[in-house]
mmCIF file of all heavy atoms in Angstrom:
data_model
loop_
_atom_site.group_PDB
_atom_site.id
_atom_site.type_symbol
_atom_site.label_atom_id
_atom_site.label_comp_id
_atom_site.label_asym_id
_atom_site.label_seq_id
_atom_site.Cartn_x
_atom_site.Cartn_y
_atom_site.Cartn_z
ATOM 1 N N LYS A 80 -1.002 1.544 45.598
ATOM 2 C CA LYS A 80 -0.224 1.143 46.776
ATOM 3 C C LYS A 80 -1.129 0.865 47.968
ATOM 4 O O LYS A 80 -0.868 -0.036 48.761
ATOM 5 C CB LYS A 80 0.884 2.150 47.079
ATOM 6 C CG LYS A 80 0.488 3.330 47.901
ATOM 7 C CD LYS A 80 1.721 4.125 48.269
ATOM 8 C CE LYS A 80 1.277 5.367 49.029
ATOM 9 N NZ LYS A 80 2.345 6.343 49.164
ATOM 10 N N HIS A 82 -4.050 -0.368 47.693
ATOM 11 C CA HIS A 82 -4.666 -1.646 47.340
ATOM 12 C C HIS A 82 -3.743 -2.813 47.685
ATOM 13 O O HIS A 82 -4.208 -3.919 47.961
ATOM 14 C CB HIS A 82 -4.963 -1.625 45.838
ATOM 15 C CG HIS A 82 -5.874 -2.714 45.356
ATOM 16 N ND1 HIS A 82 -7.145 -2.891 45.855
ATOM 17 C CD2 HIS A 82 -5.702 -3.676 44.424
ATOM 18 C CE1 HIS A 82 -7.704 -3.926 45.251
ATOM 19 N NE2 HIS A 82 -6.853 -4.429 44.377
ATOM 20 N N LEU A 83 -2.427 -2.554 47.652
ATOM 21 C CA LEU A 83 -1.445 -3.632 47.827
ATOM 22 C C LEU A 83 -0.673 -3.538 49.146
ATOM 23 O O LEU A 83 0.463 -4.005 49.248
ATOM 24 C CB LEU A 83 -0.460 -3.638 46.643
ATOM 25 C CG LEU A 83 -1.080 -4.033 45.296
ATOM 26 C CD1 LEU A 83 -0.081 -3.875 44.166
ATOM 27 C CD2 LEU A 83 -1.603 -5.477 45.332
ATOM 28 N N GLY A 84 -1.306 -2.961 50.124
ATOM 29 C CA GLY A 84 -0.723 -2.962 51.468
ATOM 30 C C GLY A 84 0.568 -2.169 51.588
ATOM 31 O O GLY A 84 1.391 -2.454 52.467
ATOM 32 N N GLY A 85 0.757 -1.177 50.728
ATOM 33 C CA GLY A 85 1.988 -0.381 50.784
ATOM 34 C C GLY A 85 1.911 0.702 51.854
ATOM 35 O O GLY A 85 0.840 1.239 52.116
ATOM 36 N N ASP A 86 3.049 1.019 52.468
ATOM 37 C CA ASP A 86 3.069 2.127 53.430
ATOM 38 C C ASP A 86 3.405 3.420 52.697
ATOM 39 O O ASP A 86 3.456 3.453 51.470
ATOM 40 C CB ASP A 86 4.060 1.838 54.577
ATOM 41 C CG ASP A 86 5.491 1.678 54.066
ATOM 42 O OD1 ASP A 86 5.792 2.138 52.940
ATOM 43 O OD2 ASP A 86 6.313 1.090 54.796
ATOM 44 N N VAL A 89 6.108 3.549 49.830
ATOM 45 C CA VAL A 89 5.953 2.859 48.541
ATOM 46 C C VAL A 89 5.651 3.874 47.436
ATOM 47 O O VAL A 89 4.833 4.778 47.613
ATOM 48 C CB VAL A 89 4.841 1.781 48.626
ATOM 49 C CG1 VAL A 89 4.490 1.251 47.248
ATOM 50 C CG2 VAL A 89 5.283 0.641 49.542
ATOM 51 N N LEU A 158 11.242 -24.158 48.011
ATOM 52 C CA LEU A 158 12.148 -23.154 48.563
ATOM 53 C C LEU A 158 13.616 -23.564 48.426
ATOM 54 O O LEU A 158 14.480 -22.739 48.145
ATOM 55 C CB LEU A 158 11.800 -22.916 50.034
ATOM 56 C CG LEU A 158 11.806 -21.445 50.438
ATOM 57 C CD1 LEU A 158 10.902 -20.625 49.556
ATOM 58 C CD2 LEU A 158 11.456 -21.298 51.896
ATOM 59 N N GLY A 174 8.595 -14.058 42.349
ATOM 60 C CA GLY A 174 7.474 -14.967 42.601
ATOM 61 C C GLY A 174 6.228 -14.425 41.925
ATOM 62 O O GLY A 174 6.145 -13.222 41.650
ATOM 63 N N SER A 175 5.264 -15.288 41.636
ATOM 64 C CA SER A 175 4.046 -14.842 40.956
ATOM 65 C C SER A 175 2.826 -14.978 41.867
ATOM 66 O O SER A 175 2.710 -15.930 42.621
ATOM 67 C CB SER A 175 3.800 -15.682 39.697
ATOM 68 O OG SER A 175 4.924 -15.652 38.857
ATOM 69 N N ALA A 176 1.920 -14.021 41.746
ATOM 70 C CA ALA A 176 0.690 -14.070 42.527
ATOM 71 C C ALA A 176 -0.505 -13.666 41.675
ATOM 72 O O ALA A 176 -0.875 -12.506 41.661
ATOM 73 C CB ALA A 176 0.801 -13.159 43.751
ATOM 74 N N ILE A 184 -0.553 -19.368 43.438
ATOM 75 C CA ILE A 184 0.271 -18.330 44.069
ATOM 76 C C ILE A 184 1.530 -18.972 44.646
ATOM 77 O O ILE A 184 1.446 -19.900 45.455
ATOM 78 C CB ILE A 184 -0.527 -17.610 45.181
ATOM 79 C CG1 ILE A 184 -1.824 -17.011 44.604
ATOM 80 C CG2 ILE A 184 0.331 -16.528 45.844
ATOM 81 C CD1 ILE A 184 -2.761 -16.408 45.643
ATOM 82 N N ASP A 185 2.690 -18.484 44.234
ATOM 83 C CA ASP A 185 3.957 -18.990 44.769
ATOM 84 C C ASP A 185 4.024 -18.716 46.281
ATOM 85 O O ASP A 185 3.321 -17.833 46.777
ATOM 86 C CB ASP A 185 5.132 -18.294 44.053
ATOM 87 C CG ASP A 185 5.301 -18.773 42.607
ATOM 88 O OD1 ASP A 185 4.742 -19.850 42.280
ATOM 89 O OD2 ASP A 185 5.963 -18.081 41.825
ATOM 90 N N PRO A 186 4.878 -19.444 46.994
ATOM 91 C CA PRO A 186 4.978 -19.233 48.457
ATOM 92 C C PRO A 186 5.665 -17.904 48.778
ATOM 93 O O PRO A 186 6.844 -17.868 49.114
ATOM 94 C CB PRO A 186 5.805 -20.427 48.933
ATOM 95 C CG PRO A 186 6.569 -20.867 47.741
ATOM 96 C CD PRO A 186 5.761 -20.525 46.527
ATOM 97 N N ILE A 187 4.919 -16.827 48.636
ATOM 98 C CA ILE A 187 5.483 -15.468 48.713
ATOM 99 C C ILE A 187 6.085 -15.184 50.093
ATOM 100 O O ILE A 187 7.175 -14.613 50.193
ATOM 101 C CB ILE A 187 4.397 -14.412 48.359
ATOM 102 C CG1 ILE A 187 3.864 -14.640 46.929
ATOM 103 C CG2 ILE A 187 4.940 -12.998 48.535
ATOM 104 C CD1 ILE A 187 4.891 -14.559 45.823
ATOM 105 N N ARG A 188 5.394 -15.575 51.148
ATOM 106 C CA ARG A 188 5.906 -15.288 52.494
ATOM 107 C C ARG A 188 7.269 -15.967 52.708
ATOM 108 O O ARG A 188 8.223 -15.336 53.161
ATOM 109 C CB ARG A 188 4.892 -15.735 53.559
ATOM 110 C CG ARG A 188 5.208 -15.199 54.940
ATOM 111 C CD ARG A 188 4.040 -15.368 55.909
ATOM 112 N NE ARG A 188 3.026 -14.333 55.791
ATOM 113 C CZ ARG A 188 3.152 -13.076 56.246
ATOM 114 N NH1 ARG A 188 4.264 -12.691 56.826
ATOM 115 N NH2 ARG A 188 2.166 -12.210 56.121
ATOM 116 N N GLU A 189 7.367 -17.223 52.324
ATOM 117 C CA GLU A 189 8.623 -17.965 52.493
ATOM 118 C C GLU A 189 9.723 -17.385 51.586
ATOM 119 O O GLU A 189 10.882 -17.285 51.981
ATOM 120 C CB GLU A 189 8.424 -19.449 52.165
ATOM 121 C CG GLU A 189 7.538 -20.223 53.138
ATOM 122 C CD GLU A 189 6.037 -19.978 52.967
ATOM 123 O OE1 GLU A 189 5.644 -19.218 52.036
ATOM 124 O OE2 GLU A 189 5.256 -20.514 53.764
ATOM 125 N N MET A 190 9.336 -17.021 50.381
ATOM 126 C CA MET A 190 10.317 -16.459 49.448
ATOM 127 C C MET A 190 10.808 -15.097 49.956
ATOM 128 O O MET A 190 11.981 -14.750 49.821
ATOM 129 C CB MET A 190 9.712 -16.338 48.044
ATOM 130 C CG MET A 190 9.454 -17.701 47.395
ATOM 131 S SD MET A 190 8.475 -17.589 45.878
ATOM 132 C CE MET A 190 9.737 -17.158 44.687
ATOM 133 N N GLY A 191 9.903 -14.338 50.567
ATOM 134 C CA GLY A 191 10.278 -13.036 51.138
ATOM 135 C C GLY A 191 11.300 -13.214 52.254
ATOM 136 O O GLY A 191 12.283 -12.465 52.347
ATOM 137 N N ALA A 192 11.073 -14.237 53.086
ATOM 138 C CA ALA A 192 11.996 -14.501 54.196
ATOM 139 C C ALA A 192 13.367 -14.903 53.650
ATOM 140 O O ALA A 192 14.410 -14.470 54.160
ATOM 141 C CB ALA A 192 11.420 -15.596 55.096
ATOM 142 N N LEU A 193 13.345 -15.696 52.586
ATOM 143 C CA LEU A 193 14.602 -16.128 51.968
ATOM 144 C C LEU A 193 15.363 -14.922 51.402
ATOM 145 O O LEU A 193 16.579 -14.790 51.577
ATOM 146 C CB LEU A 193 14.278 -17.126 50.842
ATOM 147 C CG LEU A 193 15.437 -17.892 50.236
ATOM 148 C CD1 LEU A 193 16.052 -18.837 51.254
ATOM 149 C CD2 LEU A 193 14.954 -18.694 49.012
ATOM 150 N N ALA A 194 14.626 -14.043 50.729
ATOM 151 C CA ALA A 194 15.243 -12.837 50.162
ATOM 152 C C ALA A 194 15.880 -12.008 51.273
ATOM 153 O O ALA A 194 16.995 -11.489 51.120
ATOM 154 C CB ALA A 194 14.200 -12.021 49.397
ATOM 155 N N GLN A 195 15.184 -11.907 52.390
ATOM 156 C CA GLN A 195 15.739 -11.127 53.507
ATOM 157 C C GLN A 195 16.991 -11.790 54.084
ATOM 158 O O GLN A 195 17.976 -11.122 54.390
ATOM 159 C CB GLN A 195 14.683 -10.979 54.603
ATOM 160 C CG GLN A 195 13.637 -9.939 54.248
ATOM 161 C CD GLN A 195 12.730 -9.622 55.418
ATOM 162 O OE1 GLN A 195 12.205 -10.530 56.071
ATOM 163 N NE2 GLN A 195 12.535 -8.347 55.694
ATOM 164 N N LEU A 199 18.496 -9.902 49.459
ATOM 165 C CA LEU A 199 18.216 -9.772 48.025
ATOM 166 C C LEU A 199 16.914 -9.019 47.799
ATOM 167 O O LEU A 199 16.053 -8.975 48.682
ATOM 168 C CB LEU A 199 18.076 -11.167 47.398
ATOM 169 C CG LEU A 199 19.319 -12.054 47.446
ATOM 170 C CD1 LEU A 199 18.956 -13.467 47.004
ATOM 171 C CD2 LEU A 199 20.425 -11.467 46.570
ATOM 172 N N LEU A 200 16.771 -8.469 46.610
ATOM 173 C CA LEU A 200 15.502 -7.873 46.229
ATOM 174 C C LEU A 200 14.537 -8.994 45.863
ATOM 175 O O LEU A 200 14.945 -10.075 45.433
ATOM 176 C CB LEU A 200 15.696 -6.930 45.035
ATOM 177 C CG LEU A 200 16.649 -5.749 45.274
ATOM 178 C CD1 LEU A 200 16.814 -4.937 43.999
ATOM 179 C CD2 LEU A 200 16.133 -4.853 46.409
ATOM 180 N N PHE A 201 13.251 -8.719 46.041
ATOM 181 C CA PHE A 201 12.230 -9.731 45.765
ATOM 182 C C PHE A 201 11.046 -9.074 45.058
ATOM 183 O O PHE A 201 10.378 -8.211 45.628
ATOM 184 C CB PHE A 201 11.793 -10.391 47.077
ATOM 185 C CG PHE A 201 10.683 -11.412 46.931
ATOM 186 C CD1 PHE A 201 10.588 -12.225 45.813
ATOM 187 C CD2 PHE A 201 9.739 -11.567 47.940
ATOM 188 C CE1 PHE A 201 9.565 -13.168 45.687
ATOM 189 C CE2 PHE A 201 8.708 -12.504 47.825
ATOM 190 C CZ PHE A 201 8.632 -13.307 46.695
ATOM 191 N N HIS A 202 10.832 -9.485 43.807
ATOM 192 C CA HIS A 202 9.719 -8.938 43.025
ATOM 193 C C HIS A 202 8.536 -9.906 43.002
ATOM 194 O O HIS A 202 8.704 -11.092 42.714
ATOM 195 C CB HIS A 202 10.156 -8.670 41.574
ATOM 196 C CG HIS A 202 9.063 -8.078 40.733
ATOM 197 N ND1 HIS A 202 8.765 -6.726 40.728
ATOM 198 C CD2 HIS A 202 8.150 -8.651 39.909
ATOM 199 C CE1 HIS A 202 7.738 -6.496 39.927
ATOM 200 N NE2 HIS A 202 7.344 -7.654 39.411
ATOM 201 N N VAL A 203 7.350 -9.385 43.288
ATOM 202 C CA VAL A 203 6.142 -10.193 43.150
ATOM 203 C C VAL A 203 5.439 -9.786 41.864
ATOM 204 O O VAL A 203 5.088 -8.617 41.679
ATOM 205 C CB VAL A 203 5.201 -10.014 44.358
ATOM 206 C CG1 VAL A 203 3.880 -10.742 44.117
ATOM 207 C CG2 VAL A 203 5.870 -10.535 45.631
ATOM 208 N N LEU A 212 -6.885 -10.263 43.512
ATOM 209 C CA LEU A 212 -6.770 -11.073 44.734
ATOM 210 C C LEU A 212 -7.295 -10.360 45.994
ATOM 211 O O LEU A 212 -7.975 -10.997 46.813
ATOM 212 C CB LEU A 212 -5.328 -11.552 44.943
ATOM 213 C CG LEU A 212 -4.860 -12.672 44.007
ATOM 214 C CD1 LEU A 212 -3.365 -12.944 44.203
ATOM 215 C CD2 LEU A 212 -5.657 -13.959 44.214
ATOM 216 N N ARG A 216 -10.069 -11.943 48.569
ATOM 217 C CA ARG A 216 -9.905 -12.052 50.020
ATOM 218 C C ARG A 216 -11.111 -11.427 50.730
ATOM 219 O O ARG A 216 -11.640 -12.000 51.682
ATOM 220 C CB ARG A 216 -8.613 -11.366 50.450
ATOM 221 C CG ARG A 216 -8.332 -11.526 51.935
ATOM 222 C CD ARG A 216 -7.006 -10.941 52.327
ATOM 223 N NE ARG A 216 -5.897 -11.717 51.820
ATOM 224 C CZ ARG A 216 -4.760 -11.191 51.400
ATOM 225 N NH1 ARG A 216 -4.600 -9.877 51.411
ATOM 226 N NH2 ARG A 216 -3.796 -11.965 50.981
ATOM 227 N N VAL A 222 -6.858 -16.467 50.545
ATOM 228 C CA VAL A 222 -5.793 -15.984 49.649
ATOM 229 C C VAL A 222 -4.518 -15.777 50.463
ATOM 230 O O VAL A 222 -4.511 -15.004 51.419
ATOM 231 C CB VAL A 222 -6.198 -14.643 48.979
ATOM 232 C CG1 VAL A 222 -5.039 -14.067 48.177
ATOM 233 C CG2 VAL A 222 -7.430 -14.836 48.097
ATOM 234 N N ALA A 223 -3.455 -16.458 50.097
ATOM 235 C CA ALA A 223 -2.186 -16.314 50.816
ATOM 236 C C ALA A 223 -1.651 -14.886 50.639
ATOM 237 O O ALA A 223 -1.884 -14.260 49.612
ATOM 238 C CB ALA A 223 -1.166 -17.319 50.277
ATOM 239 N N ASP A 224 -0.945 -14.391 51.666
ATOM 240 C CA ASP A 224 -0.395 -13.030 51.595
ATOM 241 C C ASP A 224 0.602 -12.922 50.450
ATOM 242 O O ASP A 224 1.421 -13.819 50.242
ATOM 243 C CB ASP A 224 0.311 -12.680 52.909
ATOM 244 C CG ASP A 224 -0.692 -12.601 54.055
ATOM 245 O OD1 ASP A 224 -1.868 -12.306 53.777
ATOM 246 O OD2 ASP A 224 -0.292 -12.861 55.198
ATOM 247 N N PHE A 225 0.539 -11.827 49.724
ATOM 248 C CA PHE A 225 1.430 -11.689 48.567
ATOM 249 C C PHE A 225 1.915 -10.269 48.339
ATOM 250 O O PHE A 225 2.711 -10.024 47.439
ATOM 251 C CB PHE A 225 0.705 -12.151 47.293
ATOM 252 C CG PHE A 225 -0.368 -11.186 46.858
ATOM 253 C CD1 PHE A 225 -0.092 -10.199 45.922
ATOM 254 C CD2 PHE A 225 -1.631 -11.232 47.420
ATOM 255 C CE1 PHE A 225 -1.069 -9.284 45.537
ATOM 256 C CE2 PHE A 225 -2.606 -10.309 47.044
ATOM 257 C CZ PHE A 225 -2.324 -9.338 46.103
ATOM 258 N N ASP A 226 1.427 -9.304 49.134
ATOM 259 C CA ASP A 226 1.695 -7.907 48.784
ATOM 260 C C ASP A 226 2.757 -7.276 49.686
ATOM 261 O O ASP A 226 3.541 -7.992 50.310
ATOM 262 C CB ASP A 226 0.381 -7.108 48.768
ATOM 263 C CG ASP A 226 -0.298 -7.092 50.138
ATOM 264 O OD1 ASP A 226 0.361 -7.455 51.145
ATOM 265 O OD2 ASP A 226 -1.484 -6.714 50.201
ATOM 266 N N PHE A 227 2.754 -5.941 49.788
ATOM 267 C CA PHE A 227 3.802 -5.262 50.568
ATOM 268 C C PHE A 227 3.703 -5.542 52.066
ATOM 269 O O PHE A 227 4.609 -5.201 52.821
ATOM 270 C CB PHE A 227 3.773 -3.754 50.299
ATOM 271 C CG PHE A 227 4.385 -3.371 48.979
ATOM 272 C CD1 PHE A 227 3.597 -2.879 47.948
ATOM 273 C CD2 PHE A 227 5.752 -3.517 48.763
ATOM 274 C CE1 PHE A 227 4.155 -2.530 46.729
ATOM 275 C CE2 PHE A 227 6.328 -3.165 47.546
ATOM 276 C CZ PHE A 227 5.526 -2.671 46.528
ATOM 277 N N SER A 228 2.612 -6.161 52.494
ATOM 278 C CA SER A 228 2.527 -6.534 53.912
ATOM 279 C C SER A 228 3.476 -7.689 54.228
ATOM 280 O O SER A 228 3.744 -7.977 55.385
ATOM 281 C CB SER A 228 1.080 -6.918 54.268
ATOM 282 O OG SER A 228 0.713 -8.097 53.569
ATOM 283 N N VAL A 229 3.961 -8.369 53.188
ATOM 284 C CA VAL A 229 4.873 -9.497 53.396
ATOM 285 C C VAL A 229 6.309 -8.976 53.515
ATOM 286 O O VAL A 229 6.808 -8.315 52.594
ATOM 287 C CB VAL A 229 4.803 -10.496 52.218
ATOM 288 C CG1 VAL A 229 5.808 -11.636 52.411
ATOM 289 C CG2 VAL A 229 3.388 -11.033 52.059
ATOM 290 N N PRO A 230 6.990 -9.260 54.634
ATOM 291 C CA PRO A 230 8.373 -8.804 54.774
ATOM 292 C C PRO A 230 9.244 -9.363 53.658
ATOM 293 O O PRO A 230 9.128 -10.539 53.308
ATOM 294 C CB PRO A 230 8.798 -9.377 56.139
ATOM 295 C CG PRO A 230 7.524 -9.625 56.878
ATOM 296 C CD PRO A 230 6.502 -9.982 55.829
ATOM 297 N N GLY A 231 10.081 -8.499 53.092
ATOM 298 C CA GLY A 231 10.998 -8.946 52.052
ATOM 299 C C GLY A 231 10.565 -8.557 50.649
ATOM 300 O O GLY A 231 11.390 -8.509 49.740
ATOM 301 N N VAL A 232 9.252 -8.293 50.455
ATOM 302 C CA VAL A 232 8.792 -7.893 49.115
ATOM 303 C C VAL A 232 9.308 -6.482 48.833
ATOM 304 O O VAL A 232 9.057 -5.561 49.607
ATOM 305 C CB VAL A 232 7.246 -7.917 49.016
ATOM 306 C CG1 VAL A 232 6.777 -7.307 47.694
ATOM 307 C CG2 VAL A 232 6.729 -9.342 49.160
ATOM 308 N N THR A 233 10.040 -6.309 47.719
ATOM 309 C CA THR A 233 10.609 -4.987 47.428
ATOM 310 C C THR A 233 9.989 -4.325 46.191
ATOM 311 O O THR A 233 10.126 -3.123 46.009
ATOM 312 C CB THR A 233 12.135 -5.069 47.228
ATOM 313 O OG1 THR A 233 12.418 -6.064 46.246
ATOM 314 C CG2 THR A 233 12.836 -5.443 48.539
ATOM 315 N N SER A 234 9.321 -5.120 45.341
ATOM 316 C CA SER A 234 8.602 -4.506 44.221
ATOM 317 C C SER A 234 7.461 -5.411 43.775
ATOM 318 O O SER A 234 7.503 -6.628 44.001
ATOM 319 C CB SER A 234 9.544 -4.195 43.043
ATOM 320 O OG SER A 234 10.210 -5.365 42.596
ATOM 321 N N ILE A 235 6.439 -4.791 43.183
ATOM 322 C CA ILE A 235 5.267 -5.542 42.682
ATOM 323 C C ILE A 235 4.833 -4.927 41.353
ATOM 324 O O ILE A 235 4.813 -3.703 41.211
ATOM 325 C CB ILE A 235 4.060 -5.467 43.662
ATOM 326 C CG1 ILE A 235 4.438 -5.956 45.067
ATOM 327 C CG2 ILE A 235 2.869 -6.277 43.124
ATOM 328 C CD1 ILE A 235 3.275 -5.933 46.071
ATOM 329 N N TYR A 254 7.504 0.137 44.045
ATOM 330 C CA TYR A 254 8.718 -0.201 44.798
ATOM 331 C C TYR A 254 8.538 0.143 46.268
ATOM 332 O O TYR A 254 7.799 1.068 46.608
ATOM 333 C CB TYR A 254 9.919 0.580 44.253
ATOM 334 C CG TYR A 254 10.258 0.231 42.825
ATOM 335 C CD1 TYR A 254 9.716 0.959 41.769
ATOM 336 C CD2 TYR A 254 11.102 -0.833 42.540
ATOM 337 C CE1 TYR A 254 10.007 0.634 40.455
ATOM 338 C CE2 TYR A 254 11.402 -1.157 41.222
ATOM 339 C CZ TYR A 254 10.852 -0.422 40.186
ATOM 340 O OH TYR A 254 11.140 -0.743 38.888
ATOM 341 N N LYS A 255 9.251 -0.597 47.081
ATOM 342 C CA LYS A 255 9.252 -0.419 48.537
ATOM 343 C C LYS A 255 9.590 1.024 48.914
ATOM 344 O O LYS A 255 9.056 1.560 49.866
ATOM 345 C CB LYS A 255 10.302 -1.375 49.128
ATOM 346 C CG LYS A 255 10.292 -1.495 50.611
ATOM 347 C CD LYS A 255 9.573 -2.764 51.064
ATOM 348 C CE LYS A 255 9.326 -2.756 52.559
ATOM 349 N NZ LYS A 255 7.912 -2.921 52.906
#
Side-chain angles (χ1 to χ4, degrees):
K80 85 172 176 193
H82 193 58
L83 293 174
D86 61 20
V89 169
L158 223 55
S175 305
I184 303 174
D185 288 343
I187 300 300
R188 193 167 278 285
E189 292 77 3
M190 292 170 82
L193 191 66
Q195 283 190 311
L199 297 171
L200 299 177
F201 177 35
H202 181 83
V203 174
L212 286 173
R216 184 175 289 144
V222 174
D224 294 333
F225 72 94
D226 62 14
F227 283 111
S228 66
V229 177
V232 172
T233 53
S234 57
I235 304 181
Y254 296 92
K255 189 100 191 124

